[in-house]
Amino acid sequence: MTLTDKRILLIIGGGIAAYKALDLIRRLRERGAKVRCVLTVAAQHFVTPLAAGALSADHVFTDLFDRQDEQDVGHIRLARECDAIVVAPATADLMAKLANGLANDLASAVLLATDKPVLMAPAMNPKMWSHPATKRNRATLAKDGVRFVGPNRGEMAESGEAGEGRMAEPVEIADAVEALVAPPVGPLAGRRIVVTSGPTHEPLDPIRYIANRSSGKQGHAIAAALAKLGADVRLVSGPVALPDPAGVTTIHVETARQMQAAVEAQLPADAGIFVAAVADWRPTVEIGEKIKKRSGEAPPAVEMIENPDILAGVGHHRHRPWLIVGFAAETENLLDNAAAKLKKKGADFIVANDVSHDSGVNARGVMGGDRNRVKIVSRDGVEEWPEMTKDEVAERLARLVAARLQTITV
C-alpha cells in the first residue's frame, strides 16, 4: 500500500488507449491511492463515466460548465485537491494545449490551474509522436516540469502500424506515480545526480548522421537504480528506443553540443555518471540538402571537427560534482586506456568495458546487449566485476556511489 491516502486525479484523454486507464485506476487503488477521474469529451467515445466511476468509487467529472460541479469553481478544487495529476492517455491534443497554455475544456483548465506534479503517459500514432510540433511541445512541457512515462514501442491498436507511441502499461504508470508522490527514502535521498546515456547523433545532412551502436540500456538502468536509492536523478539522454525511467527527470538531446549544454544546466550536483557514448567528432558543416549519389563521381569528402569533451569539461568545472564516474568502452588496451582516461578527465572512477568482438558477452561486445562485464578503475587500483545483467551492474554501481557519497562531508 505504497500510495496510501495519496489523492490522484486521473485525466483520461481521447484515444483508443483509454481502455487501459480503467486498469490503471485499479492498479492505483490496489496501492492505496484515492482516484478521482476527469474524462474529456473525446475520451467518452472510448470509455464511459459509469465505468470510471465504478472503478474509482468516486464522482467522475466531464464538463467545465456543469452547473453542479462548477458552483464552487470545481475545476480549481480538482486542480488543488490532489497530490498529483496523471494524464493517461496523453493525446497530442492535450499535450499541445498545456504546452501552449490553452484551457477551453475541463481537462486543460485543470492542468493550467494546478500547482501539483503532473505526469503524462503519451499515446498516439508513431508519426504523430515524431512530428516536430509534438517534439516541441514535449520539450516545452519537460522544461515546465511535467514528467513523462513512455511511450513504448509496439503495434498500434487502431492502425496496425508499429513504432514508438504505444501508451505505457498501467503497472509502469503506477510505478511512475509512486516515484512521483511517494519517492523512496534511501541512502541517496537529497542527492542530485546527473547521468548521461545513449549515443549522440551528429548531422551530416537532413537525413544522415554519424552515430554509434550505444543502446542506452546501461545508462537508463543506472538512472533507475539511483532513483530507487532516493536520488534526484537528472538523465540527459541521446536518441534511444527506451522509455524514460520512472522517477527520473529526463532531458532528451541529439547532438554532443546539446548534451554538453544540458549537463551543465543541471550543475551543481552531488555526482555525475557519464555513460553516454558521445561522438568524438562531427562534420564541420551540416549540408542543408540531401547529399546525392551521382554515377561516376567520387564520394564527397567530409571534413570533421572535434566535439566537446563532456566528461573532462565537468571534471574540471567550477561546479564539479563531489563524485564523477566515467565509462570507457574499448576494443583494445582496456585497462591502459581506462587509467589514462581517469587521469585526463578528472574522474574518480572509470567503468571500463570491453566491446570488442572477442569480449564474449554477445556478438557485438556489450553495446546493445543486455549483459555487461566491467572493471572499476580508480586511483586505488582495479576491481573486476563478474559478468552480470546491465540492471545488476546498475544496482551495484548505485550502491558504490551511495557508499562513496556517504563518506563526503558537504
Side-chain angles (χ1 to χ4, degrees), residues 205-277:
D205 66 18
I207 64 171
R208 299 182 179 94
Y209 55 82
I210 296 170
N212 57 61
R213 289 173 171 164
S214 174
S215 65
K217 291 178 181 177
Q218 188 65 85
H220 278 54
I222 289 169
L226 292 166
K228 287 180 180 177
L229 295 185
D232 172 10
V233 182
R234 308 302 172 95
L235 174 63
V236 182
S237 174
V240 297
L242 298 171
D244 296 346
V248 170
T249 301
T250 305
I251 302 99
H252 294 266
V253 299
E254 291 193 3
T255 70
R257 287 175 290 176
Q258 291 171 352
M259 183 170 283
Q260 179 190 41
V263 167
E264 292 184 351
Q266 300 305 315
L267 300 178
D270 294 289
I273 319 292
F274 296 91
V275 195

Side-chain angles (χ1 to χ4, degrees), residues 67 71 76 140 220 247 271 276:
R67 172 182 287 184
Q71 63 181 344
I76 301 297
T140 297
H220 278 54

Side-chain angles (χ1 to χ4, degrees), residues 49-236:
L50 180 62
L55 290 166
S56 65
D58 204 334
H59 180 67
V60 175
F61 299 82
T62 60
D63 187 359
L64 179 60
F65 302 103
D66 184 282
R67 172 182 287 184
Q68 181 176 343
D69 291 343
E70 282 296 319
Q71 63 181 344
D72 56 349
V73 198
H75 67 281
I76 301 297
R77 287 191 299 101
L78 288 172
R80 308 288 169 78
E81 292 179 357
C82 62
D83 293 292
I85 296 178
V86 180
V87 187
T91 61
D93 181 66
L94 278 171
M95 289 176 60
K97 282 181 176 179
L98 183 56
N100 291 281
L102 301 180
N104 63 349
D105 63 1
L106 180 58
S108 55
V110 166
L111 287 168
L112 205 61
T114 193
D115 57 357
K116 305 300 182 183
V118 175
L119 174 71
M120 285 191 159
M124 64 195 73
N125 180 273
K127 295 294 186 185
M128 296 175 71
W129 176 248
S130 63
H131 193 282
T134 307
K135 286 185 174 181
R136 286 195 302 272
N137 291 334
R138 188 199 188 289
T140 297
L141 292 170
K143 186 177 179 181
D144 291 344
V146 173
R147 300 287 189 94
F148 288 87
V149 54
N152 296 340
R153 298 185 68 84
E155 187 172 328
M156 303 295 111
E158 77 281 5
S159 64
E161 295 182 36
E164 191 173 13
R166 184 186 180 99
M167 191 173 90
E169 294 304 315
V171 170
E172 295 177 80
I173 301 171
D175 287 344
V177 172
E178 190 175 302
L180 186 65
V181 301
V185 177
L188 289 175
R191 301 284 194 175
R192 173 183 283 201
I193 301 180
V194 180
V195 180
T196 67
S197 182
T200 62
H201 289 180
E202 308 301 329
L204 181 60
D205 66 18
I207 64 171
R208 299 182 179 94
Y209 55 82
I210 296 170
N212 57 61
R213 289 173 171 164
S214 174
S215 65
K217 291 178 181 177
Q218 188 65 85
H220 278 54
I222 289 169
L226 292 166
K228 287 180 180 177
L229 295 185
D232 172 10
V233 182
R234 308 302 172 95
L235 174 63
V236 182

